[in-house]
Amino acid sequence: SEDTQQQIIRETFHLVSKRDENVCNFLEGGLLIGGSDNKLIYRHYATLYFVFCVDSSESELGILDLIQVFVETLDKCFENVCELDLIFHVDKVHNILAEMVMGGMVLETNMNEIVTQIDAQNKLEKSEAGLAGAPARAVSAVKNMNLPEIPRNINIGDISIKVPNLPSFK
Amino acid sequence: MALKMVKGSIDRMFDKNLQDLVRGIRNHKEDEAKYISQCIDEIKQELKQDNIAVKANAVCKLTYVSALLRRNATTPFVLFLLSSTNFGYLAASQCFHEGTDVIMLTTNQIRKDLSSPNQYDTGVALTGLSCFVTPDLARDLANDIMTLMSHTKPYIRKKAVLIMYKVFLKYPESLRPAFPRLKEKLEDPDPGVQSAAVNVICELARRNPKNYLSLAPLFFKLMTSSTNNWVLIKIIKLFGALTPLEPRLGKKLIEPLTNLIHSASIQVQKQYSISIFGKVLFCFSLTVKYLGLLAMSKILKTHPKSVQSHKDLILQCLDDKDESIRLRALDLLYGMVSKKNLMEIVKKLMIHVDKAEGTTYRDELLTKIIDICSQSNYQYITNFEWYISILVELTRLEGTRHGHLIAAQMLDVAIRVKAIRKFAVSQMAMLLDNAHLIASNTQRNGICEVLYAAAWICGEFSEHLEELNQTLEAMLKPKVTTLPGHIQAVYVQNMVKLYASILQQKEQAGEKEAAQEITQLMIDRLPQFVQSADLEVQERASCILQLIKYIQKLQTKEVPVAEEVIALFAGELNPVAPKAQKKVPVPEGLDLDAWINEPPSDSESEDEKPKTIFHDEEQRHSKHRPPEIDEEELARRREARKQEQANNPFYIKSSPSPQKRYQDTPGVEHIPVVQIDLSVPLKVPGMPMSDQYVKLEEERRHKQKLEKDKKKKKQKKEKKGKHRRHNSLHTESEEDIAPAHHVDIITEEMPENALPSDEDDKDPNDPYKALDVDLDKPLADSEKLPVQRHRNAENLKSPDTEAPLVEKKSKKPKKKEKKHKEREKEKKKEREKKVAEEEKKSSKHRKKKHKKEKEEKSKDKKKSKKKQHHSEEETAESVQNGTLDDEPLPVRSWAYLGAPGSWEAGTYDIQGNLQHDSQVTVSVIFENKSTSFLKSMELNVLDSLNTKMLRPEGSSVHDGIPVPFQLPPGVSSEAQFVFTLQSIVMAQKLKGTLSFIVKNDEGSTHEKLDFKLHFSCASYLITTPCYSDAFARLLESGDLHMSSIKVDGISISFQHLLAKICFYHHFSVVERVDSCASMYSRSIQGHHVCLLVKKGENSVSVDGKCNDSTLLSNLLDEMKETLSKC
C-alpha cells in the first residue's frame, strides 16, 4: 500500500546512500523488499542513484546494463540530462521508464528503439495540442528563460529523495 | 465554440503548469505546506472547467503533489481523463491499486483505448493496465489483449505479450487458451516481441518448469540463433530451471554454452567457472567478486567438493567491508562445512560475531551459525557439549532478535541427544542463576527467550541436576516477575517439577524438616506469581499453590507424598515431528466429512443434542487410543545394540561416558563454581568456553588417529568397521572422525504408517500454483476465453446472410457444457447491462469493419482451383515411403488436401471423439510451400444436413474459423476442427474453402483454395481392443447383420494385409489362426463391427457383422477398394 511503498523508498535510499563509493552494486535487502529472492541493484551517477529491485529471474549484470541504457536514454531525450530535468519533467521520465519496463518486466533494451518511440509520442502530443497550446507554450518558454538561476536554491542533499523515480517495484 | 476555445487557451496562459508548480514548491521552502494547499485549491478550480486541456494540466499537477505528499486525492478526477492524455494513465498507475473501487468503472474506457487506431494510445493503456490490473479487469480484457497480440504494429504486440503475464497471474484460466499464441510469438519477426515472449515464458517456467519442457527444442533453436543478449540471458535462466527435470538437456547445452559463456549459473559449466572464480576473487573489483560468490553458491548445490577447496578465500570475504559480499560468503559457508571443519568455521564466525557492528549483520551471523550446525539433523556435529557451549556463548549477544531460535535449538538438542542432558542441565542451571544478565532485555523475541528453554530443561531433566535447591531459589527470585508472561508460565510449571524432585530426594534421605522447609519456601514465594497480570501465569500459579498447600497439610500429618507428587510428571516427553499430526492416516471406514449427528434442524428439541454428542465422543476416544510404546521392547533393543557395539572392534569403547569424561578434563573443573563477578557483566564466569572444546577435539582426534593407525597395523586385512551412525555422504577422511560421545539422536516421532507425501511442503497460498496447468492438452470448449459480444449484433447479422442451410444446429451438448454455457450467458447479460451504452458504439464500429472486409474478399476472389489429389493413392505412397513397416504402425492416417507446389499444402486426419458420440475431430496440417508469408487464414466448410463444422457460439454458418497461427515460408503447423454428425452410416464429402492473405515483398493479396474433405466410414470407427470371449458372445447374440466381400489378386502377405486393415480402417485383431483372423472395431455411436478375414491362394474374403447393415456395406466397400490396390 501507499505507506509501505513510501517506507520502501525511504529505507532503500537510506541503505543505498550510506554505502561506500567503491563497494559492489548489489544489496540484499532483507524483509522490506520481499525476502531473499529479491535484491537491490543500483548505480550511482553524481548526485543521483538509480535503484532497481529485482528477483532471481533477472541477471545482475543485465540489470546494471539496463540502468546504463536508461541513463543514456535520458541523456538523449533531455540533451545532457541533469537532476533538474528529472525534477521538472517527472512525467517524461515516467514515460521513458514505461517504454523500458512494464509491469515489472523488461520491455525493451534497445536504446534507439526507445528513443524513436519517445520522439514519435512527443511529436504526436505537440500536434494534438496544436494551436490551442501555443500561447501557453510561449508563456512557459518565457518563464523558463530564467532557469539558470534556479540551481542556487537547490539543497543537494534531498534531491534524490524528492525525485519519485522508483515506480518500478513489482 | 471557436471563441470559447480561444478563451480557454488564453485563460490557460496564466494557469500554472507542472513546471511552474515544481518551481513554486522549491521556492517556498519555508511554508511549503501552505503553498501546496493553495495550489490544491487552484487545481480544484481548474478541474471544474470544461476545457479538457485545463483538466489534464490540473490532474498532472495533482499527481505530482500527491506523489509528494502521499495523499490519495486524485482518484476520482483521474477517471475523466484516462483517455485524454498520456498522463491520465500515469496518474492512474500511481493512485490505483487493487482495492480502488473505481477501477470497475474504467473497464470500458480501457477497452476503447485498447482498440484505438493510434498505437500510442493503445500502448499507454497497456502500460497503465500493467500497473493496476485486477482479476476482474483481467477476465474482461483478456480476450482484447489476446487480439492485440497479433496486432500489426510490433510496438503494440510486444506490450500485449508482456502484459499477458500479469493477466495470467490475476486470471489463471486464461493461460491455456492464450498459450498457443504466446508460443507463436516466440518466432515473431520483431526482436522486441520475441524478447517479450521469452520473458513471459521464462517467468512462467520459473515457477512450474515441468509444464514447459516441451518448449525446450524451440528455445534451443532460439538460443543458437538469437543475437540479443537479453534474450540469451533469459533463455539460459530458463534452461537452468529445466535441466534438473530433463538430464539429457544438460549434455546438449554444453556446446552452445561454452560458445556463449554468458552466465555461469548453469551447472554444466562447473569446472570451467570454478577455476576462473578462484582467481577472480583475488584481483577484480568488488562487483565481480560479488558475482563470483553468487555463481559459486549455485555451483555448490551440485558440486560441493569443488568449492570446498576455496574455503580460505571465502573466509577472507567475511572480512570484507561490503555487507553484500559478507552475506554472500556466509551463504556459501553453509554448504561447505563438513565434520572436519565445522568447529573451525564456527570459531571464525564467533570471532566475527564479536567484532560485528550493526545488529542486522550480527543477527545474520547468529542465524547462520545455528543453521550451519543444525543442518541435516546435526549431521556434522561430533561434540554436542561444544555445541551447547556455543549456544550459551551466543546468549551473551546484546540486542539480538533471535533469542527464540537459540531457545529452540537448546530444547531440541537437550531432548533429542540423551547423552548430553546432564551437561545441558548444568549449563541451563547456570543460565538461570545469571538470569538477571539476560533478563534485562525483555523485548519480544529478545535473548530472554533462552530462559524459557533453560527453565524447561532444568525442570524436565531435574534428575540430572546437582544443586536442585539453588536452581529452585533462582527461579523464585522476585526479579523473575519482570519477564514476559509465557516465560513466567514455564517457570512456574517447572518449579513444581524441581520441587517434586527435591521432595523425593529429601524424603528418601529421611530429612523431613528439609522437605517441609522447601514446601514452606514455595508457599512463601508463589503468591508473587498469583498476582501476575498474565492469565496463564496466574492460573498455573494459583493451581500449584493450592496443590502445595495440600501437600503441606499431608506433610504435617507425616504422610509420605513425594512419590505421588513425582507421579505428576512421570514419563518422558518424546519429540514429535511438526508434520506428524497431518500425516496420521485416516483409518479405513472413517469419513471425516460425514456428520456425526444429523445437522440440527430447527424443529428438533434442544435438550436432546448434548447427550448424543457426549456419548458419541466417548466412543470415538476409546477406539482411537494410540498404541502404548512397549517399554520392554525398547529396553530389549537397547541391550541388543549395546551387545553389538561391544562386539565391534572398531567401536570406540575407550571414550568414556560423557559425564565421566567431563570430570576428568582439567579445563572444565571450574564449571560448578558460581561466583558472580559483576565487574565484568558480559562474561558469565564459570561458563566453559567453546574454544576449549576445539582444542580438546583436536587432541581427541589426534589420539584416535594414533589408535587407529595402531589397529590398522595389527589387523590390516580386516574390513573397515562401520562406526558411522547416521551419515552416508562423507568423504574418506571424514569417516575417520568418530563422535566424541556416543550420541543417540532421536528422530522426531511420526505416526505409524504415516503417509509419505511432499504435498505439505507447498504453500497453498502460492499465487503461482494456479498457473501450474498442463499446456499440451487440447483446449476444451469450456476453457475458451469469455468474449465480449453483443446480442444485437448477432441477431442483425443472420438475416443478412442468404444461406441455404440456416438450420439450428442439431448438436446436443452434454449437460455440463450446457450449464456452463448458461452461466456464461448470465454473466454476459450482467456485463451487458453494465456496459450497455459504450458497447453499442463499439459494436457498430466493429460491424462496419466486418462488412468492409467481406467486400474486399469478394473482389479479390481469384479462382485458383487446384486439382484435388485427395485419395488413397497419395496416402499409400506416402505410407510406403516411410511409415508402413512390419513394425508398429502410426496411429494416424493422412490424406492429401490441396495441391503440391501451390501456396499451401495440407494434410488431414479424421479422428472420432470418444467423449462425444456425434463429433469427430479433423486435424489439418498446413504447410506453406511458397516463399511468401501466409496469414489471416480462415477455413470454411459448406455444411451439409448431416455434417456440420462446429463454430464458436454466435457465428453464422457462413463464417469461417480462423486458423490460430500464421505461416512463414516453409513452415508447417497443425490446427484442429471439430465436426458434428447426425448419422455415421454413410461416407460424407464436404466442400470447403481456405482463404488467406499472401504477403510478400510486392504487397499482400487475398487467395483462396478450395478443397474437399472426405469423411469415410472408417473414420467414424475407433480402434477398440476386444477379448475373444467377449467377441464370441457378441457374435452369438444374433442381433447383427451380416455381409461379405471377396477380393481376388492379392499378393501381399497376410500379416501385411491385417496391418493395412488395422491402419486404414481402425480395426484391431482379436484372434489370428494361420491365414484366418477375426477383427473388431466400434463406431463413435457404439455400433459393433466384427470381421472374419480369410486368405486363400490369391484372394481374400471378408465376412462382416454389424448392428447396422448400411454401415457395414459401406465399410466393406471401402475395404474392398483398399484391398484391391494391394
Side-chain angles (χ1 to χ4, degrees):
Chain A
S1 74
E2 200 82 347
D3 286 335
T4 47
Q5 203 177 348
Q6 279 307 295
Q7 209 195 337
I8 288 172
I9 294 182
R10 236 178 292 125
E11 190 95 339
T12 308
F13 175 74
H14 190 66
L15 280 173
V16 167
S17 62
K18 111 183 145 186
R19 283 168 67 84
D20 280 346
E21 188 58 29
N22 54 353
V23 297
C24 73
N25 297 341
F26 312 103
L27 199 66
E28 273 162 67
L31 297 168
L32 205 61
I33 55 167
S36 58
D37 196 34
N38 296 358
K39 62 182 74 162
L40 297 174
I41 298 179
Y42 71 94
R43 271 183 108 136
H44 188 185
Y45 293 89
T47 54
L48 289 178
Y49 286 94
F50 291 84
V51 187
F52 277 57
C53 172
V54 301
D55 62 14
S56 64
S57 71
E58 307 293 340
S59 151
E60 288 80 6
L61 286 177
I63 295 296
L64 282 180
D65 192 52
L66 189 72
I67 297 177
Q68 182 67 27
V69 170
F70 181 45
V71 175
E72 278 178 36
T73 313
L74 287 177
D75 201 44
K76 277 203 175 164
C77 292
F78 288 111
E79 284 156 18
N80 279 329
V81 69
C82 66
E83 59 255 15
L84 282 178
D85 287 322
L86 306 189
I87 295 169
F88 283 101
H89 302 278
V90 191
D91 49 343
K92 283 184 185 159
V93 177
H94 265 284
N95 242 346
I96 295 170
L97 193 62
E99 288 299 320
M100 298 179 66
V101 179
M102 193 178 105
M105 281 183 290
V106 179
L107 180 67
E108 183 63 67
T109 50
N110 183 344
M111 184 165 47
N112 295 331
E113 177 71 25
I114 299 168
V115 174
T116 330
Q117 301 295 355
I118 293 284
D119 283 349
Q121 283 183 47
N122 285 342
K123 219 177 272 172
L124 195 75
E125 214 169 310
K126 266 182 198 159
S127 70
E128 259 177 14
L131 265 181
R137 277 207 302 279
V139 172
S140 81
V142 174
K143 283 180 194 160
N144 281 332
M145 294 263 274
N146 54 357
L147 196 65
E149 289 174 12
I150 291 163
R152 275 186 231 148
N153 308 329
I154 291 174
N155 174 5
I156 286 178
D158 49 8
I159 282 175
S160 0
I161 310 177
K162 284 206 173 160
V163 180
N165 70 337
L166 296 166
S168 65
F169 290 109
K170 287 181 184 179
Chain B
M1 184 64 204
L3 196 73
K4 207 176 170 188
M5 258 181 72
V6 171
K7 190 173 168 279
S9 58
I10 288 176
D11 282 347
R12 261 181 82 198
M13 265 170 64
F14 304 105
D15 286 343
K16 289 196 188 80
N17 63 10
L18 178 63
Q19 275 81 352
D20 298 332
L21 179 78
V22 175
R23 192 174 303 137
I25 290 174
R26 294 168 67 88
N27 283 333
H28 290 75
K29 272 262 135 47
E30 296 80 33
D31 51 349
E32 203 179 84
K34 200 178 148 201
Y35 181 79
I36 289 175
S37 67
Q38 194 186 328
C39 285
I40 290 178
D41 286 343
E42 280 175 30
I43 291 167
K44 276 182 190 160
Q45 285 300 318
E46 285 169 28
L47 282 171
K48 282 176 193 157
Q49 290 183 30
D50 288 336
N51 192 329
I52 195 86
V54 176
K55 273 188 190 169
N57 187 35
V59 169
C60 189
K61 288 192 284 184
L62 201 52
T63 312
Y64 182 81
V65 172
S66 74
L68 207 64
L69 293 183
R70 288 297 134 200
R71 226 181 263 157
N72 231 341
T74 32
T75 324
F77 307 115
V78 170
L79 276 182
F80 295 114
L81 288 156
L82 266 183
S83 63
S84 61
T85 51
N86 286 352
F87 211 83
Y89 273 103
L90 172 57
S93 61
Q94 280 277 332
C95 60
F96 283 6
H97 51 86
E98 233 170 272
T100 318
D101 306 333
V102 287
I103 273 193
M104 270 164 53
L105 304 174
T106 60
T107 315
N108 275 306
Q109 185 62 57
I110 295 171
R111 179 172 289 133
K112 209 169 100 191
D113 286 334
L114 286 180
S115 52
S116 152
N118 182 347
Q119 62 163 329
Y120 293 110
D121 280 354
T122 315
V124 164
L126 284 173
T127 312
L129 191 59
S130 74
C131 295
F132 55 79
V133 61
T134 62
D136 284 337
L137 275 181
R139 195 193 57 229
D140 293 343
L141 294 174
N143 204 53
D144 298 67
I145 298 172
M146 279 266 280
T147 19
L148 285 181
M149 278 167 78
S150 33
H151 198 270
T152 44
K153 297 257 170 45
Y155 179 75
I156 301 300
R157 278 211 302 273
K158 74 180 174 196
K159 286 198 169 187
V161 169
L162 212 52
I163 203 178
M164 275 322 271
Y165 177 64
K166 289 274 164 179
V167 174
F168 294 154
L169 279 185
K170 297 287 177 197
Y171 180 55
E173 289 86 343
S174 62
L175 177 58
R176 299 223 317 116
F179 193 69
R181 193 166 292 188
L182 191 62
K183 206 163 129 186
E184 189 184 307
K185 290 293 159 236
L186 283 176
E187 291 171 314
D188 197 278
D190 184 84
V193 183
Q194 210 180 40
S195 115
V198 170
N199 230 329
V200 171
I201 292 190
C202 286
E203 206 61 41
L204 289 171
R206 200 158 69 97
R207 312 294 178 172
N208 307 300
K210 68 172 188 305
N211 296 334
Y212 299 87
L213 267 179
S214 58
L215 289 181
L218 194 60
F219 276 109
F220 193 77
K221 208 177 87 196
L222 268 181
M223 184 168 78
T224 41
S225 62
S226 177
T227 49
N228 184 343
N229 280 345
W230 196 263
V231 173
L232 282 175
I233 291 174
K234 282 284 168 190
I235 294 178
I236 292 174
K237 288 251 178 202
L238 175 76
F239 276 127
L242 290 184
T243 30
L245 296 171
E246 179 62 65
R248 278 175 299 168
L249 252 181
K251 279 180 209 153
K252 260 192 119 179
L253 283 174
I254 294 177
E255 195 200 345
L257 273 186
T258 34
N259 290 338
L260 291 166
I261 312 179
H262 259 289
S263 134
S265 60
I266 295 223
Q267 43 178 341
V268 282
Q269 279 194 331
K270 44 139 188 176
Q271 283 310 333
Y272 185 77
S273 27
I274 288 188
S275 54
I276 293 183
F277 290 127
K279 290 166 202 156
V280 161
L281 284 183
F282 271 123
C283 39
F284 283 93
S285 78
L286 291 173
T287 299
V288 181
K289 200 167 176 176
Y290 175 85
L291 290 176
L293 286 171
L294 201 64
M296 270 201 176
S297 69
K298 283 178 181 155
I299 298 162
L300 185 74
K301 282 178 204 143
T302 46
H303 304 279
K305 265 192 146 180
S306 43
V307 178
Q308 275 172 9
S309 54
H310 295 283
K311 191 189 80 196
D312 291 338
L313 223 56
I314 290 164
L315 281 174
Q316 266 175 35
C317 288
L318 281 182
D319 296 322
D320 204 288
K321 64 181 172 201
D322 189 340
E323 196 175 315
S324 297
I325 288 185
R326 287 196 305 241
L327 288 178
R328 274 273 140 247
L330 263 183
D331 261 3
L332 270 178
L333 280 182
Y334 177 80
M336 283 176 34
V337 289
S338 62
K339 280 195 169 187
K340 221 160 116 192
N341 60 16
L342 175 73
M343 283 189 172
E344 186 193 340
I345 288 178
V346 172
K347 188 179 157 193
K348 289 221 170 105
L349 288 181
M350 290 300 282
I351 296 170
H352 280 286
V353 171
D354 286 341
K355 281 197 295 189
E357 324 120 10
T359 46
T360 31
Y361 180 56
R362 201 154 58 177
D363 277 355
E364 188 66 28
L365 274 171
L366 192 150
T367 38
K368 264 287 134 37
I369 291 177
I370 290 177
D371 274 358
I372 286 174
C373 292
S374 63
Q375 66 175 304
S376 26
N377 208 6
Y378 306 103
Q379 185 187 340
Y380 298 118
I381 294 184
T382 50
N383 187 335
F384 276 91
E385 282 184 20
W386 165 81
Y387 186 46
I388 292 275
S389 53
I390 286 281
L391 287 177
V392 173
E393 268 177 58
L394 286 176
T395 62
R396 289 183 223 149
L397 283 184
E398 265 195 5
T400 177
R401 284 180 294 111
H402 293 297
H404 189 70
L405 193 64
I406 302 176
Q409 282 294 303
M410 286 174 170
L411 285 173
D412 200 35
V413 172
I415 294 169
R416 291 174 57 188
V417 186
K418 275 189 181 155
I420 201 69
R421 279 183 196 164
K422 189 175 170 69
F423 179 75
V425 166
S426 67
Q427 292 294 304
M428 294 305 127
M430 203 131 34
L431 274 182
L432 286 180
D433 285 345
N434 298 311
H436 58 282
L437 295 178
I438 294 164
S440 56
N441 173 5
T442 47
Q443 82 193 68
R444 227 180 87 75
N445 244 336
I447 202 67
C448 61
E449 289 285 331
V450 296
L451 291 177
Y452 175 98
W456 193 87
I457 292 173
C458 284
E460 186 62 27
F461 305 120
S462 52
E463 69 267 23
H464 297 295
L465 203 59
E466 276 157 26
E467 297 284 341
L468 280 165
N469 275 339
Q470 194 186 341
T471 312
L472 183 62
E473 265 171 52
M475 286 171 85
L476 283 168
K477 276 179 197 161
K479 193 100 195 314
V480 171
T481 47
T482 59
L483 289 171
H486 65 284
I487 298 177
Q488 282 187 56
V490 172
Y491 262 65
V492 173
Q493 191 73 18
N494 285 288
M495 262 175 226
V496 195
K497 293 182 192 169
L498 281 178
Y499 167 74
S501 301
I502 296 173
L503 211 60
Q504 195 189 25
Q505 236 177 42
K506 300 290 180 202
E507 275 193 9
Q508 275 168 359
E511 304 169 33
K512 279 181 194 157
E513 297 268 303
Q516 277 173 356
E517 243 170 61
I518 207 82
T519 313
Q520 192 54 46
L521 179 76
M522 290 289 277
I523 291 173
D524 287 347
R525 297 282 182 85
L526 268 176
Q528 59 183 341
F529 294 107
V530 177
Q531 291 155 9
S532 167
D534 191 285
L535 265 185
E536 181 82 20
V537 180
Q538 206 181 34
E539 191 190 1
R540 288 190 192 192
S542 49
C543 173
I544 284 161
L545 188 61
Q546 287 313 311
L547 181 75
I548 289 177
K549 278 183 182 161
Y550 180 67
I551 292 171
Q552 194 182 30
K553 227 187 261 172
L554 289 177
Q555 273 180 335
T556 46
K557 286 179 193 162
E558 308 222 330
V559 184
V561 285
E563 285 307 322
E564 281 154 49
V565 177
I566 208 109
L568 281 176
F569 307 106
E572 198 164 305
L573 297 176
N574 290 319
V576 176
K579 286 179 199 162
Q581 179 68 46
K582 258 195 272 175
K583 300 229 171 180
V584 177
V586 180
E588 237 176 279
L590 176 66
D591 182 5
L592 289 175
D593 297 326
W595 285 95
I596 295 171
N597 300 301
E598 284 306 306
S601 61
D602 297 334
S603 58
E604 219 177 325
S605 59
E606 295 254 321
D607 47 355
E608 271 180 53
K609 270 185 287 165
K611 251 189 202 168
T612 40
I613 288 173
F614 186 62
H615 179 65
D616 233 282
E617 244 176 5
E618 238 182 11
Q619 267 190 342
R620 263 192 319 149
H621 270 299
S622 55
K623 257 186 228 164
H624 298 294
R625 192 163 289 162
E628 294 276 334
I629 307 159
D630 193 345
E631 270 297 327
E632 271 184 17
E633 171 70 13
L634 274 179
R636 204 166 47 73
R637 279 191 211 157
R638 217 172 283 139
E639 264 317 299
R641 197 162 49 222
K642 269 184 196 161
Q643 276 292 316
E644 195 186 359
Q645 285 161 2
N647 294 333
N648 186 342
F650 286 96
Y651 192 81
I652 300 163
K653 283 160 286 187
S654 61
S655 77
S657 74
Q659 298 91 322
K660 265 188 199 162
R661 181 190 167 77
Y662 170 72
Q663 272 149 8
D664 292 343
T665 42
V668 265
E669 268 175 350
H670 56 284
I671 285 178
V673 184
V674 184
Q675 283 176 341
I676 301 160
D677 185 359
L678 285 173
S679 60
V680 199
L682 262 184
K683 294 258 174 191
V684 179
M687 290 196 183
M689 295 295 292
S690 55
D691 293 354
Q692 295 164 350
Y693 288 97
V694 180
K695 262 181 229 157
L696 282 175
E697 183 70 14
E698 272 163 17
E699 280 170 31
R700 189 177 67 84
R701 281 183 196 172
H702 186 66
K703 247 191 261 170
Q704 266 177 16
K705 219 179 175 183
L706 288 180
E707 251 175 75
K708 208 157 209 159
D709 286 347
K710 264 187 227 163
K711 275 185 187 169
K712 261 187 190 166
K713 274 173 202 165
K714 277 182 196 167
Q715 312 169 323
K716 259 184 191 170
K717 280 169 199 170
E718 244 184 271
K719 278 182 197 166
K720 262 184 197 162
K722 287 179 189 170
H723 53 90
R724 287 177 292 156
R725 294 199 57 75
H726 46 257
N727 48 354
S728 51
L729 295 165
H730 303 306
T731 53
E732 278 262 277
S733 60
E734 278 168 13
E735 278 178 31
D736 296 342
I737 304 163
H741 315 290
H742 164 212
V743 288
D744 209 5
I745 300 182
I746 308 166
T747 45
E748 291 169 324
E749 271 187 3
M750 281 287 205
E752 278 176 64
N753 52 34
L755 304 164
S757 64
D758 303 322
E759 296 272 319
D760 37 21
D761 293 335
K762 282 186 186 163
D763 181 5
N765 298 326
D766 186 4
Y768 303 103
K769 207 179 164 191
L771 289 178
D772 189 4
V773 287
D774 186 2
L775 294 165
D776 298 329
K777 264 195 298 186
L779 274 181
D781 269 358
S782 56
E783 281 179 310
K784 298 241 167 81
L785 285 178
V787 184
Q788 199 87 16
R789 264 201 232 95
H790 209 263
R791 185 111 8 114
N792 290 347
E794 284 167 32
N795 294 342
L796 286 173
K797 223 186 267 170
S798 46
D800 287 354
T801 54
E802 335 95 271
L805 300 163
V806 204
E807 281 193 75
K808 279 281 160 198
K809 278 177 196 166
S810 56
K811 201 190 76 189
K812 289 176 191 169
K814 293 198 169 169
K815 266 187 191 169
K816 253 192 193 170
E817 254 182 13
K818 235 183 195 169
K819 266 187 197 166
H820 190 84
K821 271 173 193 160
E822 272 168 13
R823 219 183 301 137
E824 237 168 77
K825 267 185 198 166
E826 272 173 24
K827 269 189 203 164
K828 251 185 230 163
K829 268 186 204 165
E830 276 175 23
R831 240 178 282 148
E832 268 167 16
K833 269 182 209 163
K834 239 192 266 167
V835 300
E837 282 264 298
E838 282 296 321
E839 191 61 16
K840 259 183 199 164
K841 278 183 210 164
S842 60
S843 73
K844 268 181 200 164
H845 182 74
R846 222 180 283 157
K847 243 176 63 194
K848 266 184 204 166
K849 244 189 186 173
H850 201 83
K851 269 188 188 165
K852 258 186 208 168
E853 275 171 14
K854 267 193 179 167
E855 279 167 20
E856 278 174 327
K857 261 186 205 168
S858 55
K859 268 183 207 169
D860 286 346
K861 242 184 215 171
K862 268 189 200 168
K863 296 206 170 168
S864 59
K865 269 195 182 173
K866 316 276 170 173
K867 273 184 213 160
Q868 284 294 320
H869 282 247
H870 135 263
S871 73
E872 270 76 358
E873 236 177 64
E874 295 275 348
T875 346
E877 226 176 68
S878 72
V879 164
Q880 268 159 8
N881 283 346
T883 43
L884 189 75
D885 289 328
D886 292 338
E887 297 317 352
L889 289 155
V891 211
R892 299 172 155 203
S893 68
W894 292 100
Y896 220 68
L897 163 143
S902 69
W903 296 116
E904 180 153 14
T907 44
Y908 70 85
D909 162 50
I910 303 168
Q911 276 192 324
N913 193 334
L914 275 173
Q915 275 93 40
H916 299 269
D917 52 5
S918 58
Q919 283 192 3
V920 288
T921 308
V922 179
S923 320
V924 185
I925 291 193
F926 298 94
E927 186 181 0
N928 182 359
K929 292 196 165 176
S930 69
T931 49
S932 337
F933 192 81
L934 301 187
K935 59 178 201 172
S936 314
M937 288 189 282
E938 244 187 28
L939 184 127
N940 198 6
V941 172
L942 207 59
D943 291 354
S944 73
L945 274 171
N946 189 27
T947 314
K948 294 182 174 61
M949 181 152 75
L950 195 63
R951 296 177 168 86
E953 209 185 348
S955 51
S956 85
V957 282
H958 274 233
D959 293 347
I961 292 189
V963 180
F965 46 77
Q966 306 176 337
L967 285 180
V971 173
S972 66
S973 192
E974 181 182 333
Q976 292 190 330
F977 305 90
V978 180
F979 287 78
T980 57
L981 310 146
Q982 277 186 315
S983 150
I984 59 157
V985 297
M986 301 262 277
Q988 305 273 341
K989 274 182 191 171
L990 285 187
K991 274 188 185 174
T993 10
L994 180 75
S995 63
F996 51 92
I997 297 175
V998 181
K999 203 176 158 190
N1000 50 22
D1001 302 336
E1002 292 132 42
S1004 52
T1005 48
H1006 264 279
E1007 293 287 345
K1008 273 182 117 179
L1009 199 69
D1010 293 337
F1011 62 87
K1012 271 185 201 166
L1013 278 175
H1014 183 85
F1015 290 80
S1016 66
C1017 282
S1019 57
Y1020 306 135
L1021 296 184
I1022 299 165
T1023 317
T1024 324
C1026 183
Y1027 293 108
S1028 53
D1029 48 345
F1031 188 76
R1033 238 176 289 138
L1034 199 63
L1035 287 177
E1036 279 165 16
S1037 65
D1039 45 356
L1040 300 180
H1041 303 270
M1042 159 130 186
S1043 179
S1044 61
I1045 50 160
K1046 194 169 180 186
V1047 187
D1048 291 322
I1050 303 260
S1051 49
I1052 58 169
S1053 71
F1054 190 56
Q1055 166 80 23
H1056 221 111
L1057 188 93
L1058 288 182
K1060 277 207 167 182
I1061 295 177
C1062 290
F1063 182 58
Y1064 293 125
H1065 300 280
H1066 304 168
F1067 275 89
S1068 63
V1069 179
V1070 180
E1071 226 172 346
R1072 188 190 155 187
V1073 187
D1074 292 330
S1075 59
C1076 185
S1078 51
M1079 304 177 92
Y1080 175 79
S1081 185
R1082 248 187 83 186
S1083 79
I1084 50 172
Q1085 289 181 348
H1087 302 109
H1088 302 282
V1089 188
C1090 308
L1091 292 184
L1092 184 66
V1093 186
K1094 280 182 198 160
K1095 188 170 170 10
E1097 287 276 304
N1098 256 329
S1099 67
V1100 176
S1101 68
V1102 182
D1103 298 312
K1105 278 191 172 185
C1106 176
N1107 307 48
D1108 190 302
S1109 57
T1110 336
L1111 177 65
L1112 181 62
S1113 63
N1114 282 326
L1115 269 173
L1116 288 180
D1117 285 347
E1118 284 171 18
M1119 210 168 288
K1120 196 170 181 177
E1121 207 177 336
T1122 316
L1123 294 177
S1124 60
K1125 279 169 198 148
C1126 296

